[in-house]
Amino acid sequence: MSTFDPYGPAEPTKIAYIDGKPASIQLRRAQLLLHPNQPNQREYIFDQDVISIGVMDDNDVVLDDDTVSRHHCRIIQEDDHYIVHDLGSTNGTHINGVRIREAFLWPGATVAVGNTQVRFNPFNEQIPVVPSEQNRIGGIVGNSLKMRNIFGILEKIAPTSATVVIEGETGTGKEVVAKAVHETSSRAKGPFVVFDCGAVPESLIESELFGHEKGSFTGAVMTRKGLFEMAEGGTIFLDELGELALELQPKLLRVLEQREVRRVGSNASIPINVRVVAATNRRLEDEVRDGNFREDLFYRLSVVRLFLPALRERREDIPLLVQHFLSTLPFNRRRDDPDALRLKNIDASALSALQEYTWPGNVRELVNVIERACSITDTDSISLVDLPEHISGLNPTGMVTNSPLHDAMPESLREGVEPAPSRAELHDLPFKTAKEEWISSFERDYITELLVRHGGNISQASREADIDRKYFRKLMTKYDIDADDV
């Protein structure tokens, strides 16, 4: 049962933890009473930062009042307080008989919007969190307590409009969680727009997110909507948020605070109704401390923060994940009958090997391993020999081996590539040649393995390798490695 304090401070929505387990969610909400204490009194409850009021249907509160403008005013939550901002209305917005352009709101304040009285009451709602009884939400799957705790949180916050930041290692499924938040919300019928902050050149990010006007820069031959406008009525997912350049962060902050965008080359602001979900594999607190991320943006985004566990921390979920992949992913469909599955099971020995592996690439690496097994097996079940050597401990002939990573490569990358030379073979070569052979083999396998772990994401792979992205691409070119083949 939820509880609330009608006169409590407007603190950010947050999750409270006891002994590392989520105990409750505190949701920040605002109550608006139209025509208070009158027979026609109406109540609205909002959990969003901006509430728009007017006679047009795109407002959050639509009034049937001839004295109210199309877009009359907004109530905006800023840090620990609320303000009401008049939008240039014809008949004005009044508090205590005084016409205002912008003013602070307090609990119990009554705002006159044209001839309509609106009473404002902020409150904090404390909602207990218990592990969900479900083992999946959308495309997220898990029986472990850690995952069911996350499901319990999602069940509470998904129906709200709260901004969500998803943190976790690369490959833990942050985009899948973001999509589940969207699909279980009231915005499910709206668009789900994805933007990777690390995949677009910095010079184009502003135009991509906020749009641009014709002629605003060289090459802007026509007016173009940004992704925030395209996500109207739905959700925008900002992946790799930690990669966003410092100079662009104030503009994102303004969008979150004002719920409006301004296209590049324009002076006009465009109101938006978009839920923001972001993800990062970096620790944002560390980025703030190091000066790489704005503190005010960090707190504005951190309305609800979810921390996804690494796969090695929930190995009991691997059997369920494997069955989920086999039953849902397209690589396990028969070509002659798309409704039929090629593989239906996995041997106990293979499953045991999967559960003993440490999974540095997390769920994304597990998907790649299952896809590889489906492509090479000749039976209707995955066996130990179908797994990569670094997981199974077997070479392709079934013998135990400690050879390099060559046998773990996807088939598309392994074709035409010789395995690393053995120590005995190297001893038969001149020193310079042997050294070049060994280094080349190491570089090729190292780059390939990182790409496999990160699902072909070059930015993430180069970051883990701690080498420049351009040099990483140079090595890919040198060894004819294509990220699309991973």
Side-chain angles (χ1 to χ4, degrees):
M1 180 176 180
S2 65
T3 61
F4 68 88
D5 174 8
Y7 295 100
E11 298 177 356
T13 302
K14 57 186 178 182
I15 301 172
Y17 288 84
I18 297 178
D19 297 329
K21 299 178 181 179
S24 64
I25 296 176
Q26 178 177 278
L27 288 177
R28 173 187 55 204
R29 287 182 167 164
Q31 177 199 57
L32 299 185
L33 290 178
L34 272 60
H35 315 293
N37 303 321
Q38 300 298 317
N40 59 340
Q41 175 179 296
R42 283 188 290 160
E43 180 190 50
Y44 293 85
I45 300 292
F46 294 100
D47 50 45
Q48 58 209 51
D49 293 340
V50 180
I51 305 167
S52 60
I53 303 175
V55 298
M56 296 294 289
D57 290 341
D58 57 351
N59 289 286
D60 299 306
V61 178
V62 180
L63 300 180
D64 183 13
D65 185 338
D66 292 340
T67 65
V68 175
S69 297
R70 290 181 299 174
H71 298 98
H72 196 102
C73 66
R74 284 182 175 182
I75 296 174
I76 302 172
Q77 199 275 332
E78 290 186 353
D79 298 326
D80 60 350
H81 59 269
Y82 286 86
I83 63 172
V84 57
H85 177 68
D86 185 82
L87 300 176
S89 63
T90 301
N91 294 309
T93 303
H94 298 75
I95 298 180
N96 293 337
V98 178
R99 183 166 182 167
I100 59 95
R101 178 177 296 174
E102 188 173 278
F104 286 101
L105 286 176
W106 60 93
T110 299
V111 181
V113 181
N115 290 332
T116 302
Q117 300 293 308
V118 180
R119 182 168 295 166
F120 170 77
N121 283 305
F123 64 91
N124 297 321
E125 186 173 9
Q126 202 77 16
I127 302 175
V129 173
V130 296
S132 174
E133 296 181 357
Q134 307 297 320
N135 63 9
R136 65 187 66 208
I137 292 182
I140 324 168
V141 174
N143 272 322
S144 63
L145 180 60
K146 288 186 176 182
M147 292 307 296
R148 289 190 296 111
N149 278 333
I150 289 176
F151 295 162
I153 295 170
L154 291 178
E155 288 169 355
K156 301 295 185 182
I157 61 112
T160 74
S161 296
T163 301
V164 181
V165 173
I166 306 166
E167 300 185 47
E169 295 180 7
T170 296
T172 48
K174 295 185 285 293
E175 183 173 342
V176 180
V177 173
K179 196 163 188 179
V181 170
H182 171 73
E183 291 175 344
T184 54
S185 74
S186 60
R187 299 173 178 268
K189 294 183 179 179
F192 179 74
V193 177
V194 180
F195 179 74
D196 188 340
C197 298
V200 178
E202 290 184 11
S203 59
L204 297 178
I205 290 180
E206 185 176 3
S207 173
E208 285 288 317
L209 286 176
F210 311 132
H212 63 255
E213 297 292 339
K214 180 179 179 180
S216 56
F217 55 85
T218 303
V221 296
M222 59 185 297
T223 297
R224 182 179 182 276
K225 287 184 177 182
L227 296 180
F228 271 97
E229 288 184 72
M230 294 180 185
E232 179 68 18
T235 303
I236 186 169
F237 174 53
L238 303 177
D239 199 8
E240 298 300 331
L241 178 68
E243 303 293 327
L244 190 64
L246 267 174
E247 57 268 23
L248 291 172
Q249 292 177 20
K251 297 179 180 180
L252 176 59
L253 177 62
R254 183 179 183 278
V255 172
L256 295 175
E257 289 183 337
Q258 302 298 324
R259 295 294 163 169
E260 58 186 24
V261 296
R262 185 175 297 169
R263 294 174 182 169
V264 177
S266 173
N267 293 322
S269 296
I270 302 172
I272 57 168
N273 176 18
V274 175
R275 184 180 194 170
V276 176
V277 180
T280 178
N281 60 4
R282 300 189 181 191
R283 296 288 296 182
L284 287 183
E285 294 98 330
D286 296 341
E287 295 299 305
V288 171
R289 186 179 59 250
D290 295 340
N292 298 322
F293 203 84
R294 289 177 61 104
E295 186 176 23
D296 49 4
L297 178 57
F298 168 71
Y299 286 115
R300 172 56 63 181
L301 284 165
S302 300
V303 177
V304 174
R305 296 173 68 193
L306 289 177
F307 298 88
L308 298 188
L311 186 54
R312 62 182 175 276
E313 298 172 1
R314 57 180 188 110
R315 300 186 196 197
E316 63 268 41
D317 289 336
I318 290 178
L320 183 63
L321 285 166
V322 171
Q323 290 301 327
H324 174 68
F325 298 150
L326 289 178
S327 62
T328 62
L329 296 184
F331 59 71
N332 192 36
R333 300 288 173 176
R334 294 176 54 177
R335 292 184 179 180
D336 57 341
D337 185 1
D339 293 330
L341 300 179
R342 294 180 58 249
L343 280 75
K344 299 179 180 179
N345 299 301
I346 180 170
D347 294 350
S349 59
L351 191 57
S352 176
L354 293 178
Q355 290 183 285
E356 291 175 4
Y357 182 56
T358 56
W359 299 106
N362 291 296
V363 179
R364 181 183 292 127
E365 185 181 4
L366 176 60
V367 172
N368 291 337
V369 167
I370 299 303
E371 181 174 6
R372 173 190 183 276
C374 288
S375 68
I376 66 175
T377 185
D378 294 326
T379 67
D380 62 355
S381 179
I382 297 175
S383 59
L384 190 62
V385 73
D386 300 320
L387 302 180
E389 178 188 339
H390 64 287
I391 296 176
S392 69
L394 304 175
N395 66 17
T397 64
M399 301 296 292
V400 177
T401 178
N402 292 311
S403 62
L405 296 170
H406 173 267
D407 296 318
M409 291 183 186
E411 292 294 325
S412 56
L413 291 177
R414 193 192 304 181
E415 185 178 354
V417 177
E418 293 297 325
S422 67
R423 189 179 297 273
E425 290 173 327
L426 291 175
H427 288 167
D428 293 334
L429 299 173
F431 172 79
K432 183 177 180 180
T433 304
K435 181 180 178 181
E436 290 175 351
E437 287 278 345
W438 184 253
I439 290 176
S440 295
S441 175
F442 164 77
E443 289 180 342
R444 182 189 66 236
D445 290 350
Y446 183 81
I447 296 299
T448 301
E449 173 66 10
L450 281 180
L451 286 171
V452 169
R453 287 184 192 176
H454 296 286
N457 189 309
I458 299 173
S459 296
Q460 295 173 3
S462 62
R463 191 180 305 119
E464 182 176 331
D466 196 23
I467 60 178
D468 185 78
R469 193 171 185 269
K470 292 181 179 179
Y471 182 64
F472 195 96
R473 280 190 172 277
K474 184 177 180 180
L475 289 174
M476 291 174 60
T477 302
K478 178 180 179 181
Y479 297 111
D480 196 24
I481 299 172
D482 189 341
D484 292 336
D485 291 335
V486 174

